Every structure is written in C-alpha cells, then in structure tokens.
Amino acid sequence: MSDDWAARRGLSAILITVPELAAYTDRWRSVSRSTARPHVPLTELIPPHVTVLVPWVADPTDADEKRLRAALAKVGPFELSFPTAGQFPNGTAWLRPEPFDTVRSLLLSVFEAFPECPPYGGEFPEPHPHLTISSSTQGGPAVVAEAQAALAENAPPVVQLTEVGLWREGSDGVWRQFGAVPLGA
C-alpha cells in the first residue's frame, strides 16, 4: 500500500469503532506506527476500528448523512467478534471481524451510496474488512503468530454493533469522532 492518500490531512471517515478491544489490542497497536504518521503510535491516533470508508466526503452535509442512513437502513445491529488474525502481503497484521459477510455487506452498501469516494482513494477497490493491530513496518508473521496465540488463550470481547462512527482527522493527525449513524434506522 502506498499511503499517498493517507498522507493527506483532514480526511473524514466512516468507521466501526470498537474501543472495548483497546485493552486487548493495545499490546500491538501501542508499538506500531502508521507509515504516514511514524512519530505517533496507532493507539494515540485512533481507537481500534474496522474502516468502512476512508476517505469519505471532505465536508459531510446533512444530505450525506441521510444517504449513509439509507445505505445502513437494512443492516440491523449485530454482535461483532474478532476470532482470527492474519496479515496482508505488505505485512500489516489484523484481526478479522465476524460475521465477516455481514461486515463486508455493510461496507459494500456504503460504497454503493458514495461512488464518488473510492475506498482508500481507489487503491483497494474491494477492501478486506479488518482491524489493524500492527502496521506494515512493524507487522509480519511474528505479530500474527503472537495474536493467534493470544486469541487461542483468551478471546477479545464480543461487542454489540449498533452504529457506525463519523470521524475526522485533525491537523495534529489525531482522529476525532464528530457523529454517528445508527444501524437499521
């Protein structure tokens, strides 16, 4: 992944945030850094999350939120777990959200509603839903093996997903939530 799109500032995003997993994932995320923001650990930039869409519209309007609500209207709340770990070819280590097909369907509904916002700036037109635990520069087989062992010993908590969050990156590179859209509304 090139990170050219991520090097831009002031992006907005639609995220499935799971702060309930921070105690579980911080062991990896606290020592991992984004290639676009190498001076700050992931834990200080953004909470544990599954990206739905980034970059989203630059300045979301009420009409954009209405489009998002319509896209999520048929997706009701569901339990979300993270039972397995893996990695992308670039070394990024991740946890897989389950039910995977439900999460993927949610992403595809949002992509369809916002065709002007290709996921990851068009670099990955069909992204694989995941929760990053270690970036490409700190990830790799050792992190995945450690995560698989941790998952076998003590699984992270299951969370009830009821909404997606609307997030914006500040000028300091830290992401902050500015809204939420409920599922099934």
Side-chain angles (χ1 to χ4, degrees):
M1 180 163 108
S2 71
D3 280 335
D4 287 343
W5 67 268
R8 299 183 328 214
R9 298 288 182 171
L11 297 174
S12 67
I14 302 167
L15 306 176
I16 295 170
T17 54
V18 282
E20 302 89 341
L21 268 69
Y24 192 87
T25 61
D26 279 1
R27 64 183 106 183
W28 303 293
R29 294 181 78 248
S30 66
V31 295
S32 184
R33 286 157 167 66
S34 162
T35 55
R37 314 283 186 271
H39 59 287
V40 182
L42 294 178
T43 51
E44 294 180 28
L45 292 175
I46 195 164
H49 67 279
V50 175
T51 300
V52 175
L53 182 60
V54 68
W56 189 35
V57 294
D59 293 305
T61 65
D62 290 342
D64 294 319
E65 286 192 36
K66 186 175 180 180
R67 267 199 293 171
L68 181 57
R69 283 181 192 279
L72 299 174
K74 293 182 181 176
V75 181
F78 60 94
E79 286 190 343
L80 187 61
S81 65
F82 295 85
T84 59
Q87 80 177 69
F88 293 122
N90 72 355
T92 298
W94 44 261
L95 299 180
R96 177 184 166 112
E98 293 292 348
F100 186 82
D101 289 341
T102 301
V103 175
R104 181 152 171 71
S105 178
L106 184 152
L107 270 64
L108 293 174
S109 293
V110 173
F111 299 166
E112 187 175 296
F114 293 93
E116 73 278 19
C117 301
Y120 299 99
E123 192 166 347
F124 300 103
E126 295 186 32
H128 179 278
H130 66 283
L131 187 156
T132 298
I133 57 171
S134 187
S135 71
S136 59
T137 56
Q138 291 90 26
V143 173
V144 174
E146 184 182 325
Q148 290 287 34
L151 289 163
E153 185 176 313
N154 186 22
V158 174
V159 297
Q160 181 71 22
L161 184 64
T162 60
E163 65 185 21
V164 297
L166 309 179
W167 290 73
R168 177 173 306 286
E169 182 188 34
S171 59
D172 57 359
V174 175
W175 288 81
R176 292 173 183 82
Q177 188 169 1
F178 67 87
V181 171
L183 299 181

